Amino acid sequence: MNPESAHVETKIVDGVHYHQYDIVIVGAGGAGMRAAIEAGPGARTAVISKLYPTRSHTGAAQGGMAAALANVEEDSWEWHTFDTIKGGDYLVDQDAAEILAKEAIDAVIDLENMGLPFNRTPEGKIDQRRFGGHTRDHGKAPVRRACYAADRTGHMILQTLFQNCVKLGIEFYNEYYALDLVMTDVDGVEQPSGIVAHDLATGELHVFRAKAIIFATGGYGKIFKTTSNAHTLTGDGVGIIWRKGLPLEDMEFFQFHPTGLAGLGILLTEGARGEGAILRNASGERFMERYAPTIKDLAPRDIVSRCMQQEVAEGRGAGPHKDYVLLDCTHLGAEVLETKLPDITEFARTYLGVDPVYEPVPVMPTAHYAMGGIPTNVAAEVLRDNTAVVPGLYAAGECACVSVHGSNRLGTNSLLDINVFGKRAGRNAVEYAKGVEFTPLPDDPAGPVRRMLDQLRDSNGTERIGAIRKELQEEMDKNAQVFRTDESLAHVTEVIARLRERYRNVAVQDKGKRFNTDLLEAVELGFLLDLAEVVVFSARNRRESRGGHMRDDFPNRDDEQYMQHTMAYLSGDPQSSLADDHIRLDWKPVTVTRYQPMERKY
Amino acid sequence: MSTAMLETQSTDTADAAIQAFTVTFLIRRFDPDVDAEPRWQDFDVEMYATDRVLDALHKIKWEQDGSLTFRRSCAHGICGSDAMRINGRNRLACKTLIKDLDISKPIYVEAIKGLPLEKDLVVDMEPFFASYREVQPFLIANSQPEAGKERIQSIAKREIFDDTTKCILCAACTSSCPVFWTDGQYFGPAAIVNAHRFIFDSRDDAASVRLDILNDKEGVWRCRTTFNCTDACPRGIEVTKAIAEVKQAIIRGKP
Ligand SMILES: Cc1cc2nc3c(=O)[nH]c(=O)nc-3n(C[C@H](O)[C@H](O)[C@H](O)COP(=O)(O)OP(=O)(O)OC[C@H]3O[C@@H](n4cnc5c(N)ncnc54)[C@H](O)[C@@H]3O)c2cc1C
Ligand code: FES
């Protein structure tokens, strides 16, 4: 039956619950909650999150949030803009970077005014520290731009935003997994009309009808094995958009953070190097001096990660297998480590049994941040092609690609991004919702999700979720990590095709309704397979090296051909195993305002 | 059931430290669709000394029994998803390493106590968050800061409430508290910690409101200073001390 006739706020039809809100936000991390704080007071708003809000991975962010407050030394948003563009290897849309840097100042002040306990200067102002790629006067020297709260900046942001959501009485649907975006054909144009979500506690389906929908579902680092990302970062939101036939932008660009705990991937913030820690090879040499003579260990992440891999490849790695380098914090002293970097000090002690006060810590690059994602304009509106927007659909945070990060994000620019564009998404969604009526829902909007879940639950297949996921992650690490070649990418393309075949035969062991995390892991694996495929397909097509995408077979940047964003479209049967059959790539021009591309030296 | 059988594998001295053990886990299972009462089930898992209990749960779920249900996300002690009772103590599964447990005996894993059991290791967190919300855990300031500027706070004043800003709302403290087990109405340590975080923040003006709330019969005075909460906190917050500071503030009538 068509629930359209039922205008009541909550109604159960054929076992499906129907709700109606002006605005539905999917995701309760930093971006989602920042949007909610903006939207809640102006429109009836619901936030749907597969995790309790405070479990979101924004809480894991450590080092800081950039803003040219100039609290401790001269700084300007214009320098911040330039650093962001250069850091992103000129694939950044410069108008967006300017907005990011300008609005950074208010974004940080907003958070402080909401209660965030930043570290303070002796005058009681927000303290700031150095971070990779952030410089004074266009690259002259590192600048103190990162506002921070010890090495728990993300935790404090997440808590502060949650606290303010509680204050405003924002409605949360926690442990609800959004699994589909409902689109309705209105005069030949597909318009968003709702979200279908699975309530983990009951196993029941809910349709959230809304005028405006904001995606804020975070990243998808779990396509890799070694990653700083949470188990739940499986790219569901990006996957949902992809399956709707909407484009994904710059998916080949994934950031590998230099300092993951060796073998584990748990992050040690760049803030450690901001405070003076040094990377050393087996012989104790400060090797970054050779590669980036001006800013050394504070070069951007793509560069440092490559240098580390190179040190190891050339036999200068440390440890019994010469397979990692060392992060030396010993000269910082116990005081700095305990007060400014307490959490990472504890991570090293707990997980590696290494005490950073006395010993250097084994580190290697770890998959960290998705630069690519759902393309949006600077109003956070989702794009359906290079220029046209999908009315009423917004995206913000790591799932989105504005693009302010281009091919390599600077540290501290993501906590900034989620606040600046989360706020914009919330504000613009309210404006939009005020001016439109609800789009009608199609018949049985939950049908496709119900069929997908039934099929997974009822399958008597023989494949196990864990085995497929493990192989995907291991092969992605081997073939699509810091260094890539056509050969490695072709190989992992074949692996993914095979895994997609096997996925069709996957079995869920838990057949129950309530808290069926087995079932949801199967769904998440489906998204991982889709996204890994797009990442690799886009990476193969970019025959140059730029930012986070390093092709050993095409080691140079090629502005002539490739200073453009990749736009990937689902163009055929999404179920087919071969990427060639269902992915089409296109280009989108980069917005250049005042900075012409230069060679990227540090 | 086999416990702590040494796998003879590595001969290389560099790898000598990397030995796999078979460790037995006894997990308290409960499937609301089927079970009337929880039951214990054992699993043998191949583990390394540096593995975490969370790795063991994943191995069981991914290789043996997909229906084993627990919450987790970050896997490094930051998100607060996986507080559980491990050998009778509240801990985060992702921060408890095998090498720190006695593996000559089975390792007991069960859900935290005092909150309604939903399935296996999952409890209903709503009552916990309801107490949290009740203490008004957000900044309430009467004065407006200068437009576009931060409020000024000295390093020393920031330091006073530093410890309680670390809370990740995992409920390890509250669900380790014997008072909370017998009286579910008690606010519990986590809510008091989050009240403390604002009561002692120099930018906040609503300390008296929160002190009133906690002066209630289900408030701080229920605390019997057993220190279970402090022992349980995976973030190393001195929970009992924070509660004592709130008690003193109530007596003083101000922070
Ligand atoms: C260890 C670490 C340290 C970092 N440090 C820094 C730093 O110092 N500075 C910096 O600028 N950046 C840092 N970053 C990056 C930054 O933290 C993240 O990019 C950013 O926090 C992402 O925020 P988000 O709101 O987009 O996503 P998240 O915080 O990941 O939130 C995603 C939300 O979406 C929800 N969700 C996902 N799928 C679904 C679904 N299907 N249905 C419903 N809900 C769903 C989740 O429940 C969650 O609430 C760090 C990242 C990591 C991993
Ligand atoms: S999984 Fe996040 S705290 Fe353990």
Side-chain angles (χ1 to χ4, degrees):
Chain A
M1 136 178 196
N2 187 345
E4 160 58 4
S5 50
H7 250 287
V8 194
E9 310 254 310
T10 304
K11 197 177 161 84
I12 304 177
V13 181
D14 298 337
V16 178
H17 304 247
Y18 288 85
H19 313 259
Q20 182 167 302
Y21 289 91
D22 293 328
I23 298 174
V24 164
I25 299 171
V26 186
M33 291 203 285
R34 189 65 190 82
I37 287 169
E38 218 56 32
R44 248 199 110 218
T45 302
V47 183
I48 301 172
S49 176
K50 72 176 181 180
L51 300 173
Y52 271 88
T54 56
R55 315 288 183 229
S56 305
H57 211 54
T58 291
Q62 303 168 353
M65 169 168 167
L69 301 182
N71 275 1
V72 289
E73 61 183 309
E74 188 189 358
D75 199 3
S76 87
W77 62 259
E78 194 269 323
W79 297 348
H80 185 184
T81 308
F82 171 77
D83 289 338
T84 300
I85 293 163
K86 181 179 172 192
D89 219 350
Y90 297 92
L91 204 71
V92 172
D93 288 318
Q94 300 189 1
D95 54 339
E98 187 168 321
I99 288 171
L100 182 81
K102 264 191 199 161
E103 294 183 9
I105 295 163
D106 277 348
V108 165
I109 298 299
D110 278 357
L111 287 169
E112 194 285 334
N113 290 175
M114 283 186 219
L116 197 142
F118 282 108
N119 274 43
R120 299 286 169 160
T121 65
E123 304 80 54
K125 295 200 263 181
I126 296 169
D127 196 16
Q128 299 189 273
R129 67 175 166 211
R130 298 188 176 115
F131 241 80
H134 290 279
T135 69
R136 180 170 61 77
D137 193 8
H138 314 91
K140 299 240 164 63
V143 74
R144 294 189 166 87
R145 186 177 290 149
C147 309
Y148 67 100
D151 53 357
R152 310 185 178 114
T153 315
H155 165 77
M156 301 301 186
I157 290 178
L158 193 68
Q159 296 291 327
T160 301
L161 293 175
F162 183 58
Q163 289 155 4
N164 281 272
C165 285
V166 170
K167 189 175 185 176
L168 292 170
I170 301 292
E171 279 185 70
F172 285 100
Y173 289 85
N174 296 326
E175 302 195 315
Y176 277 58
Y177 285 64
L179 298 179
D180 197 11
L181 165 67
V182 186
M183 300 284 273
T184 306
D185 189 319
V186 181
D187 303 330
V189 184
E190 292 275 300
Q191 301 252 46
S193 52
I195 287 287
V196 183
H198 167 101
D199 174 10
L200 184 67
T202 62
E204 291 182 350
L205 292 181
H206 292 247
V207 173
F208 292 86
R209 191 179 184 207
K211 293 179 179 171
I213 295 168
I214 303 175
F215 273 70
T217 50
Y220 42 90
K222 278 287 157 182
I223 59 174
F224 294 99
K225 174 170 178 260
T226 309
T227 175
S228 64
N229 282 198
H231 285 285
T232 46
L233 286 174
T234 49
D236 311 357
V238 183
I240 290 170
I241 293 288
W242 172 247
R243 289 178 187 176
K244 287 284 129 176
L246 293 168
L248 298 181
E249 182 173 349
D250 288 344
M251 293 292 283
E252 62 272 40
F253 296 105
F254 211 94
Q255 176 168 84
F256 300 92
H257 191 296
T259 53
L261 286 182
L264 290 170
I266 296 173
L267 195 79
L268 301 185
T269 176
E270 192 172 281
R273 280 171 287 140
E275 297 290 350
I278 289 169
L279 288 164
R280 300 187 188 281
N281 59 22
S283 60
E285 184 204 4
R286 181 181 196 177
F287 57 86
M288 281 311 299
E289 255 166 3
R290 261 188 282 124
Y291 300 96
T294 311
I295 60 174
K296 308 184 179 81
D297 297 276
L298 286 174
R301 293 173 179 173
D302 55 333
I303 295 176
V304 179
S305 285
R306 281 197 289 279
C307 299
M308 289 167 64
Q309 293 276 24
Q310 195 165 332
E311 290 298 298
V312 167
E314 290 172 4
R316 292 188 292 276
H321 303 290
K322 295 176 175 296
D323 57 355
Y324 53 75
V325 303
L326 296 165
L327 181 69
D328 184 359
C329 309
T330 53
H331 54 288
L332 301 183
E335 164 80 16
V336 167
L337 285 168
E338 301 290 354
T339 59
K340 294 196 165 167
L341 303 162
D343 279 3
I344 63 158
T345 302
E346 195 199 318
F347 296 154
R349 286 179 185 147
T350 305
Y351 296 108
L352 288 186
V354 169
D355 189 338
V357 177
Y358 306 107
E359 297 164 83
V361 186
V363 290
M364 270 312 262
T366 181
H368 185 60
Y369 184 85
M371 268 77 71
I374 307 166
T376 71
N377 61 17
V378 294
E381 294 170 297
V382 171
L383 298 176
R384 71 165 85 240
D385 54 37
N386 284 4
T387 49
V389 303
V390 184
L393 190 59
Y394 300 80
E398 191 168 337
C399 70
C401 178
V402 185
S403 152
V404 287
H405 308 303
S407 61
N408 172 62
R409 169 174 77 80
L410 288 190
T412 68
N413 265 356
S414 174
L415 290 178
L416 177 55
D417 175 4
I418 62 179
N419 278 287
V420 167
F421 290 98
K423 182 174 178 179
R424 283 179 161 244
R427 202 173 49 205
N428 294 337
V430 171
E431 281 314 306
Y432 177 83
K434 276 187 184 149
V436 298
E437 295 300 315
F438 282 95
T439 303
L441 286 169
D443 282 344
D444 193 16
V449 170
R450 186 187 314 111
R451 285 189 286 280
M452 170 177 76
L453 296 180
D454 285 349
Q455 197 193 335
L456 282 168
R457 203 175 357 222
D458 299 343
S459 153
N460 37 28
T462 49
E463 293 289 350
R464 299 209 57 154
I465 301 161
I468 297 178
R469 186 177 44 212
K470 183 161 181 259
E471 189 170 338
L472 172 72
Q473 293 170 336
E474 285 176 354
E475 293 289 333
M476 287 296 286
D477 268 20
K478 271 191 223 139
N479 298 294
Q481 217 219 25
V482 176
F483 288 101
R484 303 161 168 182
T485 63
D486 191 62
E487 201 188 336
S488 74
L489 295 169
H491 171 76
V492 70
T493 301
E494 277 172 35
V495 172
I496 293 171
R498 219 172 49 236
L499 294 175
R500 288 170 67 87
E501 285 289 335
R502 286 172 56 191
Y503 179 71
R504 267 184 241 157
N505 193 24
V506 84
V508 167
Q509 292 182 313
D510 192 337
K511 306 291 182 191
K513 279 197 81 173
R514 305 190 50 202
F515 284 98
N516 191 338
T517 51
D518 198 23
L519 178 66
L520 272 312
E521 278 194 38
V523 176
E524 290 172 331
L525 175 59
F527 289 127
L528 288 177
L529 286 166
D530 282 7
L531 296 183
E533 187 186 52
V534 186
V535 167
V536 171
F537 198 81
S538 305
R540 251 187 116 177
N541 188 56
R542 186 175 284 275
R543 296 161 158 260
E544 65 155 353
S545 292
R546 181 187 297 272
H549 172 70
M550 174 73 199
R551 287 282 301 255
D552 245 352
D553 42 357
F554 298 95
N556 299 316
R557 194 174 85 192
D558 176 358
D559 288 338
E560 195 91 355
Q561 272 208 64
Y562 292 109
M563 209 179 102
Q564 319 185 59
H565 300 290
T566 301
M567 294 286 271
Y569 293 84
L570 179 66
S571 60
D573 174 12
Q575 298 288 319
S576 70
S577 310
L578 293 181
D580 282 309
D581 292 346
H582 61 249
I583 303 181
R584 176 175 67 83
L585 297 182
D586 199 353
W587 300 106
K588 178 169 148 251
V590 173
T591 308
V592 175
T593 54
R594 52 172 129 169
Y595 303 102
Q596 287 308 312
M598 298 188 309
E599 198 197 338
R600 202 158 150 254
K601 278 200 293 217
Y602 284 94
Chain B
M1 185 197 293
S2 66
T3 285
M5 278 187 346
L6 193 62
E7 301 293 308
T8 45
Q9 46 144 240
S10 61
T11 43
D12 181 346
T13 38
D15 285 335
I18 312 174
Q19 293 166 333
F21 304 87
T22 301
V23 181
T24 300
F25 286 84
L26 265 172
I27 300 182
R28 194 161 180 257
R29 305 287 310 266
F30 176 66
D31 180 347
D33 292 335
V34 187
D35 299 325
E37 282 296 317
R39 63 201 153 81
W40 291 92
Q41 186 178 359
D42 64 278
F43 297 93
D44 288 344
V45 193
E46 188 104 327
M47 303 251 56
Y48 295 98
T50 51
D51 282 338
R52 309 156 237 189
V53 170
L54 180 61
D55 296 317
L57 297 176
H58 274 147
K59 275 194 126 180
I60 295 168
K61 186 174 183 68
W62 295 340
E63 293 165 19
Q64 302 186 32
D65 182 351
S67 73
L68 180 67
T69 304
F70 49 93
R71 293 188 174 105
R72 51 79 176 121
S73 184
C74 73
H76 65 284
I78 287 300
C79 76
S81 295
D82 60 343
M84 50 189 80
R85 271 167 84 81
I86 299 169
N87 286 343
R89 272 188 56 192
N90 277 9
R91 309 162 184 248
L92 298 177
C94 65
K95 264 189 105 172
T96 308
L97 270 61
I98 299 300
K99 71 177 170 57
D100 299 325
L101 297 169
D102 175 6
I103 56 168
S104 66
K105 292 188 279 225
I107 294 169
Y108 288 78
V109 183
E110 59 192 304
I112 47 177
K113 282 170 61 168
L115 290 162
L117 183 61
E118 293 277 0
K119 182 175 174 182
D120 293 348
L121 304 173
V122 173
V123 297
D124 179 4
M125 295 293 289
E126 273 313 318
F128 173 81
F129 279 103
S131 295
Y132 164 82
R133 285 192 295 265
E134 263 183 70
V135 301
Q136 308 206 2
F138 36 77
L139 189 79
I140 302 174
N142 295 339
S143 61
Q144 280 299 314
E146 190 188 333
K149 290 280 178 215
E150 67 264 56
R151 292 191 166 84
I152 299 295
Q153 182 169 57
S154 70
I155 293 172
K157 288 201 163 135
R158 162 72 179 75
E159 182 59 28
I160 293 172
F161 64 102
D162 183 63
D163 202 33
T164 46
T165 62
K166 296 189 303 202
C167 177
I168 55 174
L169 298 169
C170 67
C173 60
T174 295
S175 65
S176 74
C177 173
V179 178
F180 181 75
W181 294 339
T182 50
D183 175 7
Q185 298 304 308
Y186 171 45
F187 279 99
I192 302 172
V193 160
N194 281 280
H196 178 284
R197 182 249 168 273
F198 289 100
I199 291 169
F200 292 93
D201 185 334
S202 60
R203 299 169 297 171
D204 187 271
D205 296 312
S208 60
V209 177
R210 295 192 196 88
L211 293 175
D212 264 358
I213 295 171
L214 292 175
N215 196 15
D216 182 87
K217 73 171 175 15
E218 300 297 352
V220 282
W221 306 113
R222 304 293 323 251
C223 168
R224 291 283 165 269
T225 330
T226 56
F227 282 93
N228 280 22
C229 50
T230 302
D231 291 341
C233 179
R235 300 287 286 152
I237 300 172
E238 294 183 85
V239 182
T240 314
K241 182 169 166 236
I243 297 175
E245 286 172 1
V246 172
K247 287 178 180 171
Q248 285 153 15
I250 291 176
I251 294 169
R252 268 199 310 273
K254 62 177 197 316

